[in-house]
Amino acid sequence: GRLLGDRYEIVEKIGGGGMALVYKAKCKLLNRYVAIKVLRTEFINNEEFINKFRRESQAAASLSHPNIVNIYDVGVEGDIYYIVMEYVKGKTLKELIREKGRLSYEETIDIAIQIARALSHAHKNHIVHRDIKPHNILVSDDGRIKVTDFGIAKAATTSTVTNTSNVIGSVHYFSPEQARGGYTNEKSDIYSLGIVMYEMVTGRVPFEGDSPISVAIKHIQEDIVTPRQFVKTIPESLEKIILKCVEKDQSLRYDSAEELLKDLEKAKELKDGSYVEINNY
Ligand code: ATP
Ligand code: MG
Ligand code: MG
């Protein structure tokens, strides 16, 4: 039967990236809103994209965590490939940063902790997200973070070579190994989260350029301008954490999201006044 049409009522289009369109819909039976991600019609004859879409739903569905968007259902109906998931009422982190210019250190740490928890859970389940960027991080109206879009996620058991041709949009958040088209692993997600944290506190990404290639090359070889050179009041403890995430050499980066989480939680405890005052002397 026509499951999609029988069960869901489309309310509006809420987003769309390179690969798919996302709609807000109402599940008639359960009387709740859901988000339905549908593979763009130009890709329905493209086996590579169909496989990617299938992998996305499998990767995301194997995870159950408060900071990861919940998957309810997947299916194919005629030429419609769809994923039904939890609807997050709110905005993307990209929109939040754009609105505010940059975020406070408290808010940055708070958001980073929630993303690190999501990554820690995914990595424990041997899934590397590989596309961590503010557009893929949803901020609910009550301040909860939900990571979405496991579109290029891979099982972490075998390191995988990046195929940059379809994911060019994320190059600002690419780790050097991703930019090289080399092997990615859990530490690649940590690098991307470091870039996201950099953007939250400074309002800008560290590497920009005229073409994706020029940005990729900067991730590989250009020294990063430290966040405090843009915003002097950024606490040293937070800058240290960001810089350890974006080390070009994987062996100098945090070993795990868990380890990063510990430092973030320490920095959160520090926040009450101590470092704000230092900058006023
Ligand atoms: P990309 O080009 O980043 O790969 P995509 O085509 O894979 O994008 P998504 O990132 O999954 O698509 O979704 C696109 C947009 O739709 C998101 O940036 C967000 O604005 C919105 N969106 C996605 N999932 C949800 C959800 N569960 N609830 C609310 N909005 C969502
Ligand atoms: Mg996306
Ligand atoms: Mg995607």
Side-chain angles (χ1 to χ4, degrees):
R2 292 180 55 258
L3 188 64
L4 261 184
D6 287 347
R7 195 171 273 187
Y8 305 104
E9 211 164 80
I10 301 291
V11 178
E12 61 185 344
K13 191 180 142 196
I14 48 176
M19 186 165 138
L21 296 172
V22 181
Y23 297 93
K24 177 181 179 180
K26 189 166 205 167
C27 177
K28 289 186 256 186
L29 219 56
L30 296 174
N31 194 36
R32 66 173 176 185
Y33 289 113
V34 296
I36 304 183
K37 183 168 179 172
V38 179
L39 186 66
R40 283 180 184 274
T41 48
E42 55 259 50
F43 299 131
I44 55 172
N45 294 316
N46 186 323
E47 206 170 315
E48 189 193 338
F49 276 87
I50 290 171
N51 285 334
K52 211 179 257 187
F53 202 67
R54 189 170 295 135
R55 267 204 307 274
E56 164 171 6
S57 51
Q58 285 167 347
S62 71
L63 303 171
S64 171
H65 189 272
N67 299 119
I68 296 175
V69 169
N70 217 349
I71 302 297
Y72 297 145
D73 197 11
V74 298
V76 194
E77 205 172 291
D79 53 10
I80 301 172
Y81 289 78
Y82 65 90
I83 303 172
V84 183
M85 59 188 150
E86 168 185 12
Y87 170 69
V88 181
K89 190 173 178 303
K91 55 186 77 159
T92 68
L93 181 57
K94 191 73 188 178
E95 291 167 318
L96 187 70
I97 296 170
R98 203 174 291 144
E99 270 172 29
K100 294 197 173 179
R102 61 172 194 253
L103 308 187
S104 72
Y105 320 126
E106 287 84 354
E107 198 171 6
T108 296
I109 290 172
D110 203 60
I111 290 173
I113 284 176
Q114 295 184 63
I115 302 170
R117 283 185 186 143
L119 288 181
S120 169
H121 179 77
H123 294 171
K124 274 181 195 143
N125 287 281
H126 311 295
I127 288 170
V128 181
H129 187 286
R130 303 200 312 157
D131 199 14
I132 291 294
K133 58 180 178 181
H135 321 70
N136 288 341
I137 293 162
L138 307 177
V139 187
S140 75
D141 287 342
D142 56 4
R144 252 185 302 234
I145 293 298
K146 302 269 184 180
V147 174
T148 189
D149 197 357
F150 284 72
I152 55 171
K154 284 272 171 71
T157 42
T158 50
S159 291
T160 43
V161 176
T162 316
N163 172 2
T164 47
S165 60
N166 300 313
V167 285
I168 242 63
S170 345
V171 75
H172 289 105
Y173 306 91
F174 268 13
S175 62
E177 60 272 16
Q178 258 174 313
R180 261 189 226 107
Y183 289 95
T184 53
N185 58 27
E186 290 86 341
K187 289 190 175 196
S188 315
D189 282 345
I190 290 174
Y191 182 96
S192 301
L193 173 51
I195 301 294
V196 172
M197 289 172 69
Y198 189 107
E199 187 175 355
M200 285 194 274
V201 288
T202 65
R204 63 200 299 289
V205 289
F207 302 120
E208 280 177 303
D210 297 334
S211 64
I213 299 289
S214 68
V215 177
I217 289 171
K218 288 178 184 175
H219 279 285
I220 294 167
Q221 53 177 228
E222 195 172 289
D223 285 341
I224 203 159
V225 177
T226 61
R228 279 159 60 92
Q229 290 181 59
F230 291 109
V231 186
K232 287 190 194 67
T233 53
I234 293 170
E236 265 184 78
S237 57
L238 179 55
E239 176 167 281
K240 262 179 80 177
I241 292 173
I242 295 172
L243 294 178
K244 192 167 174 182
C245 289
V246 299
E247 285 283 1
K248 295 188 193 301
D249 179 347
Q250 273 200 3
S251 68
L252 299 174
R253 252 176 251 163
Y254 283 104
D255 272 327
S256 65
E258 203 62 33
E259 196 189 316
L260 163 62
L261 201 48
K262 277 191 199 130
D263 272 5
L264 285 168
E265 269 156 6
K266 261 187 253 160
K268 186 185 167 89
E269 277 164 32
L270 263 175
K271 83 175 177 200
D272 300 313
S274 55
Y275 55 53
V276 181
E277 251 98 293
I278 291 165
N279 291 304
N280 290 337
Y281 289 147

